[in-house]
């Protein structure tokens, strides 16, 4: 869910301006593209629909973002260095942990769509039984 929410922010002027200030080339194009990758990858894993594809999208999103936007080793201000290190470690743990889990265990069961479908199917069965006895 964190990637879906964070990906939505990649379409704001503030996010694009921040990336441009960090010397990211073509920030007005690359930031929204990375937002799409984060949203699609996050939704794939969240919904259990093509989980491995979603995991790969997140890795392709996280590798350049983590090492270019959160390069804490190059920050001089100690407070900003701590903040960037926290973001770097969050990306490593959440992103790559999600990737490893999705690729090790295979595709996950679709969570929301699968449950909604089974509820509808059970409801239809109950309706057909009650209609049969009327």
């Amino acid at each position: 869910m964190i990637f879906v929410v964070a990906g939505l922010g990649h379409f704001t002027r503030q996010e694009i301006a921040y990336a441009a200030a960090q010397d990211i080339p073509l920030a007005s194009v690359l930031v929204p593209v990375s937002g799409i990758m984060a949203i699609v990858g996050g939704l794939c894993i969240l919904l259990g629909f093509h989980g491995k594809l979603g995991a790969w999208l997140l890795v392709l999103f996280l590798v350049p973002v983590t090492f270019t936007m959160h390069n804490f080793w190059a920050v001089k201000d100690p407070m900003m260095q701590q903040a960037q290190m926290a973001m770097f470690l969050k990306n490593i743990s959440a992103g790559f942990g999600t990737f490893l889990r999705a690729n090790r265990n295979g595709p996950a069961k679709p969570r929301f769509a699968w449950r909604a479908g089974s509820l509808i199917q059970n409801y239809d069965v109950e309706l057909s039984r009650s209609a049969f006895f009327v």
Side-chain angles (χ1 to χ4, degrees):
M1 192 68 186
I2 189 170
F3 298 108
V4 176
V5 174
L8 292 173
H10 287 219
F11 297 97
T12 64
R13 275 186 247 150
Q14 293 85 4
E15 292 276 341
I16 295 169
Y18 180 73
Q22 298 293 325
D23 296 327
I24 302 299
L26 299 169
S28 61
V29 174
L30 292 177
V31 173
V33 168
S34 69
I36 292 169
M37 291 171 69
I39 292 168
V40 172
L43 285 175
C44 284
I45 291 172
L46 180 69
L47 299 174
F49 182 74
H50 295 288
K52 285 188 178 188
L53 172 67
W56 276 106
L57 280 172
L58 290 179
V59 166
L60 291 174
F61 157 72
L62 283 172
V63 169
V65 168
T66 301
F67 287 97
T68 59
M69 297 298 292
H70 304 300
N71 55 348
F72 64 92
W73 54 89
V75 178
K76 303 293 183 220
D77 179 26
M79 294 292 283
M80 286 303 295
Q81 186 180 35
Q82 284 291 98
Q84 290 301 326
M85 180 187 274
M87 296 300 282
F88 181 89
L89 294 174
K90 175 205 50 103
N91 281 5
I92 295 294
S93 63
F96 296 121
T98 300
F99 170 76
L100 291 173
R101 185 191 180 290
N103 276 297
R104 180 176 180 260
N105 297 337
K109 280 185 186 175
R111 298 292 179 209
F112 300 122
W114 178 77
R115 287 189 179 136
S118 67
L119 287 174
I120 291 169
Q121 183 180 9
N122 289 341
Y123 182 73
D124 286 343
V125 169
E126 292 300 319
L127 280 179
S128 64
R129 286 183 187 160
S130 63
F132 181 78
F133 292 109
V134 173

